[in-house]
Amino acid sequence: MDTILTVNGGSSSLKCGLYAVTNTDLQCLFHLKVENLLGDTTLFKVRDEQNRVLDSHELACQDVALDERHQRALQEVLQWVDEHLPESHLIATGHRVVHGGDLFSAPVLLDDDKLSQLHQFIPLAPLHQPYNLKLVEACRSLAPELPIVACFDTMFHSRQPRIERLYALPRNLVDKGVHRYGFHGLSYEYLQRQLSLAGAGNLKTVACHLGAGASMCAIAEGQSIASSMGFTAVEGLPMGSRTGNLDPGVLLYLMREENMDVDALEKLIYKESGWLGISTISSDMKTLHQADDPKAEEAIDMFCYRVALEMGRLTAALEGVEQVVFSGGVGENDADVRSRVLKRCGWLGIKLDEEANQRNSGIISAADSAVTVRVMPTNEELMIATHVDELLH
């Protein structure tokens, strides 16, 4: 049985999916996840496509150097597949790579030169790119015979109009690549393909990928034309622990008055702000809902307000909106957040069916709504596997 392994790594986690390649489609066999890679207790979990737990155990990593733990996690994944599905014949791995810069606007087979080029983009995505590439290198070490396909979070946005991508900076900086890129592209590409299958792929759409990492995207005729994230994945909406949009003068102020250096500022804007910073409680939306604290309520309301504001900007980019899609962990599962956002968007003619909204799936707009509103699960891993299959065949 030919299979493809998708690899999606963060700073302290690894998510993999094993897909069987058939004559007609790709079938997900297992979801494999390693959590808390940099902590004292590392967990390895395997679920099937119905989300049933097939295995859950601790992974001994305490004696492994921190910079080698991603390779240890990937080794465990490959060993588990080999032991539990010996008929599996891996034909390739597909890797989520956050930043492709201006060089990569489509999936590519990686070689030494391309890998070297991708290392140049680490300063643009310091929380993700190093670990994405570390897993590529681990795969090359553990299974050197396998083709490795890189799929980029930026590639869906690569054809945005230049006017959307420009910052009002000197042209010499723009020419060096200091401009807007956009992220979560694999998620938006998957949603767009699903909308096309549903006969709604040509509508003017605002897609909302809402989670601890959150962004929004304006899609016209199947193409990204504007997005909330820009040069890095910290721009746009306030997120679990990221600031979102911030007056750059604030950073200058903090450098001068609080003596904060670049490392302190990076930690502030990526790890200490957002919902966590405002609530002082958590970067997890579910935890904030459960907290009996006005600061948690303020963090939730601020997030919903900013989503509604971005809806207006993206609607302007589209010159009108016909469809809104909610996805991501919060977007798919949090009826309260969706309701708060859409109540602020009544001026667009959006009317919410509150009963449908509670079901967390399908069309949730009222029959007389001027804009169709949907809740759709995203699947970045399947999108990666699809790209690998298309590229190889």
Side-chain angles (χ1 to χ4, degrees), residues 211-212 239-241 275-276 279 281-291 296 299-300 329-330 334:
M239 302 170 230
S241 61
W275 315 339
L276 172 64
S279 71
I281 296 171
S282 177
S283 61
D284 176 68
M285 184 60 71
K286 186 176 181 180
T287 301
L288 296 181
H289 278 300
Q290 294 171 343
I300 298 169
V330 173
D334 198 322

Side-chain angles (χ1 to χ4, degrees), residues 310-347:
E310 188 65 17
M311 189 83 72
R313 187 185 83 85
L314 295 180
T315 297
L318 288 167
E319 299 181 14
V321 62
E322 299 169 300
Q323 178 171 248
V324 173
V325 178
F326 286 94
S327 194
V330 173
E332 293 171 31
N333 301 298
D334 198 322
D336 178 60
V337 164
R338 293 193 301 266
S339 179
R340 294 193 199 198
V341 169
L342 294 175
K343 282 179 181 177
R344 291 186 177 273
C345 298
W347 61 278

Side-chain angles (χ1 to χ4, degrees), residues 8-300:
N8 185 351
S11 59
S12 61
S13 66
L14 169 63
K15 292 189 294 183
C16 294
L18 187 70
Y19 291 83
V21 181
T22 72
N23 291 328
T24 55
D25 58 9
L26 294 167
Q27 178 188 354
C28 183
L29 302 174
F30 305 116
H31 298 283
L32 307 99
K33 186 174 184 179
V34 183
E35 301 174 334
N36 198 31
L37 260 178
L38 304 184
D40 294 330
T41 303
T42 301
L43 299 177
F44 178 85
K45 296 181 180 179
V46 182
R47 298 177 184 268
D48 63 15
E49 183 66 350
Q50 287 71 46
N51 209 34
R52 294 173 298 203
V53 177
L54 303 179
D55 192 358
S56 180
H57 63 265
E58 286 190 22
L59 179 61
C61 283
Q62 291 81 0
D63 297 331
V64 179
L66 291 179
D67 63 351
E68 296 177 0
R69 291 192 180 183
H70 285 78
Q71 179 164 329
R72 174 70 183 91
L74 187 57
Q75 183 178 26
E76 182 75 5
V77 167
L78 293 172
Q79 287 178 348
W80 193 95
V81 171
D82 189 51
E83 291 172 8
H84 292 82
L85 196 70
E87 65 269 29
S88 167
H89 172 241
L90 270 180
I91 60 171
T93 60
H95 293 247
R96 175 184 176 233
V97 178
V98 167
H99 220 299
D102 287 327
L103 295 178
F104 301 101
S105 58
V108 295
L109 278 168
L110 287 182
D111 55 24
D112 289 341
D113 289 341
K114 291 184 177 66
L115 192 56
S116 177
Q117 290 170 325
L118 290 175
H119 275 278
Q120 299 173 18
F121 304 136
I122 286 177
L124 305 186
L127 291 193
H128 300 89
Q129 195 88 346
Y131 304 101
N132 299 157
L133 301 183
K134 192 181 292 290
L135 283 161
V136 169
E137 291 163 350
C139 193
R140 296 178 93 196
S141 174
L142 294 168
E145 76 284 358
L146 289 180
I148 297 176
V149 177
C151 302
F152 306 98
D153 255 357
T154 50
M155 62 189 184
F156 184 66
H157 307 294
S158 62
R159 295 171 62 184
Q160 285 181 354
R162 178 173 168 81
I163 197 170
E164 165 68 15
R165 294 167 73 83
L166 282 175
Y167 289 117
L169 289 168
R171 281 187 178 270
N172 66 307
L173 293 176
V174 175
D175 293 341
K176 290 180 179 179
V178 184
H179 58 72
R180 297 171 58 82
Y181 290 93
F183 298 90
H184 288 144
L186 290 165
S187 175
Y188 293 127
E189 185 178 9
Y190 177 82
L191 293 174
Q192 178 57 35
R193 291 198 182 197
Q194 295 305 113
L195 289 170
S196 295
L197 291 174
N202 288 324
L203 297 179
K204 293 181 178 180
T205 301
V206 174
C208 310
H209 179 109
L210 306 183
S215 71
M216 296 167 66
C217 179
I219 303 172
E221 298 181 354
Q223 300 292 326
S224 170
I225 67 164
S227 55
S228 61
M229 284 181 170
F231 181 65
T232 69
V234 76
E235 188 179 0
L237 305 174
M239 302 170 230
S241 61
R242 291 175 242 172
T243 59
N245 287 341
L246 185 69
D247 180 347
V250 172
L251 302 181
L252 299 177
Y253 171 85
L254 294 175
M255 291 169 67
R256 289 178 177 139
E257 302 300 324
E258 300 294 332
N259 297 315
M260 296 181 75
D261 62 14
V262 64
D263 292 331
L265 290 175
E266 183 175 83
K267 183 179 180 182
L268 174 75
I269 65 176
Y270 278 100
K271 297 183 177 180
E272 298 177 338
S273 300
W275 315 339
L276 172 64
I278 293 296
S279 71
T280 72
I281 296 171
S282 177
S283 61
D284 176 68
M285 184 60 71
K286 186 176 181 180
T287 301
L288 296 181
H289 278 300
Q290 294 171 343
D292 183 19
D293 191 310
K295 297 190 296 296
E297 171 62 23
E298 187 172 53
I300 298 169

